[in-house]
Amino acid sequence: HYLDKDDIERLLPQNYTVQDSTRIVKAFINKWATDHLLMNNAINNIQQERQEELNKLVTNYQVALYAQEYLGELTKQNMDTLIPEAAIRSYYLERKEDFKLNEDLVQFRYVQLDPLNTDLQKITKWFYKGDVNSLAQIDSLKLSYKSYFLNDSIWVKKTYLFDAMSIINPENEKFYIKENKTWKLEDSLGVYLVRFARVLNRGDRAPLSYVRPTIKQVLLNKSKLAYIKKLEKDLLNDAITSDKLKINN
C-alpha cells in the first residue's frame, strides 16, 4: 500500500498555512497507516472462513453502492419532477385532518422606522388605510425603513415575528396578536407599525399554502420510488429477454 501525493493534496483546504498543512497531513498519514496495519494484521490473524464472509459483505456493499449511484443518476436525468397543483390539492383534501399545526402561525406585515423619519406621518396613514395604492406607497419607501416585512399573504411562524420585532414577545402576545388588528408601537429602537391579518394556533388545521412544500416533497418521493421500481422491473425483464440473465428454477 502507498499514499499518492494527489490524495494528500486533496485534503488541504484553500489558503492553508504551513502549520495547518503539517497538522492535517500528519494526522491523515497516521490514520491511513494505522488502518492499513490493522488490516494486514487482520488478514494474517482472522480465520479464512470469516475473511470470506467479510469479503462477501464488501462485495455486496460495492454492488449496492454502484447500483444506488446509477439509479440516482437515471432518476435525476429522466424522471419528471413536476408535481401538478391538482395532485397537491387532492392530497391535501384527502388528508387535511392529518395536517395539524405544531406551532402558531401568523399572517402579518410591519415596518420599523426611525422616530425622526420625515415621512412617518404619511407612512402611518398609508399603513392604517391598507389599500392597494397605500401599500404601494409604503413599498416604494422601504429603503428608508430600519426593517420591514410587507407580504402578509404568506404564513410565518410566530417565532419569526418575535425575532423581527422584540417589542411584541411571548409576554405580551395575547394582547397584540389578534386578527385584523393594527398597532403603532414605540421603543428605544424605533417606531413600529404592525398589522395582523390572520392567526392560527397550534392544533389548528395547517393551510394548504403552508404545507404545500411538504406535500410536494412527499409526492415527489412517491413518484421517485415508483419510477425506480419500474426501472428495476424493466431492467430485469430486458436482461431475461436478451438472455443476459437466466434464472434456473
Side-chain angles (χ1 to χ4, degrees):
H1 304 289
Y2 66 92
L3 267 176
D4 191 280
K5 182 180 178 182
D6 291 338
D7 294 331
I8 295 176
E9 287 181 346
R10 280 194 288 267
L11 293 171
L12 300 175
Q14 293 182 346
N15 303 320
Y16 61 86
T17 64
V18 174
Q19 292 84 353
D20 287 338
S21 65
T22 302
R23 176 178 51 80
I24 294 170
V25 170
K26 183 178 179 181
F28 178 78
I29 291 175
N30 287 344
K31 181 68 169 62
W32 180 91
T34 301
D35 288 344
H36 282 80
L37 288 169
L38 286 170
M39 182 176 177
N40 290 337
N41 287 343
I43 291 172
N44 293 327
N45 290 280
I46 293 177
Q47 292 182 355
Q48 186 63 32
E49 183 180 349
R50 179 55 180 159
Q51 287 189 42
E52 291 174 0
E53 292 175 354
L54 292 173
N55 286 333
K56 286 180 181 178
L57 289 174
V58 170
T59 300
N60 291 340
Y61 178 72
Q62 183 183 36
V63 170
L65 194 63
Y66 273 85
Q68 290 304 311
E69 183 70 17
Y70 180 59
L71 284 173
E73 285 300 315
L74 286 176
T75 302
K76 189 188 302 181
Q77 293 173 16
N78 302 313
M79 195 187 87
D80 185 4
T81 57
L82 181 65
I83 303 297
E85 179 62 27
I88 295 174
R89 185 172 294 277
S90 176
Y91 187 92
Y92 174 78
L93 292 175
E94 290 172 5
R95 300 166 177 81
K96 57 186 178 182
E97 294 305 321
D98 297 333
F99 290 105
K100 300 293 186 182
L101 293 172
N102 57 15
E103 57 188 318
D104 299 343
L105 301 180
V106 293
Q107 287 181 327
F108 82 111
R109 65 176 181 266
Y110 89 98
V111 294
Q112 179 188 0
L113 307 101
D114 189 299
L116 301 179
N117 189 308
T118 55
D119 295 314
L120 177 58
Q121 190 172 352
K122 288 192 299 184
I123 294 170
T124 302
K125 180 181 177 181
W126 291 330
F127 196 90
Y128 272 85
K129 194 172 182 181
D131 59 25
V132 174
N133 291 333
S134 297
L135 294 178
Q137 294 282 6
I138 291 172
D139 186 73
S140 69
L141 296 175
K142 60 188 178 186
L143 291 179
S144 69
Y145 307 149
K146 299 182 75 172
S147 65
Y148 63 90
F149 182 78
L150 299 175
N151 191 353
D152 61 359
S153 64
I154 66 171
W155 291 99
V156 297
K157 298 175 183 179
K158 193 187 290 182
T159 51
Y160 174 85
L161 163 69
F162 296 151
D163 291 339
M165 43 188 303
S166 58
I167 196 168
I168 297 180
N169 52 62
E171 284 69 40
N172 61 25
E173 61 170 303
K174 289 185 178 180
F175 181 81
Y176 290 117
I177 302 179
K178 298 174 182 178
E179 290 191 351
N180 299 315
K181 290 290 289 184
T182 304
W183 304 94
K184 180 180 180 182
L185 308 170
E186 188 169 354
D187 64 9
S188 59
L189 300 177
V191 176
Y192 303 83
L193 300 171
V194 56
R195 174 172 175 76
F196 295 101
R198 293 183 62 195
V199 179
L200 288 174
N201 297 313
R202 181 176 181 176
D204 288 344
R205 183 187 302 162
L208 174 58
S209 60
Y210 187 74
V211 295
R212 180 178 281 106
T214 301
I215 295 175
K216 183 178 180 180
Q217 190 59 52
V218 168
L219 294 178
L220 194 60
N221 289 341
K222 289 179 69 175
S223 179
K224 181 179 178 181
L225 289 174
Y227 175 80
I228 290 175
K229 187 175 181 179
K230 182 180 183 305
L231 190 66
E232 291 175 335
K233 183 179 178 180
D234 290 344
L235 184 66
L236 192 61
N237 288 338
D238 288 345
I240 294 173
T241 302
S242 61
D243 290 330
K244 291 180 180 178
L245 175 67
K246 291 185 178 181
I247 300 176
N248 296 321
N249 297 323

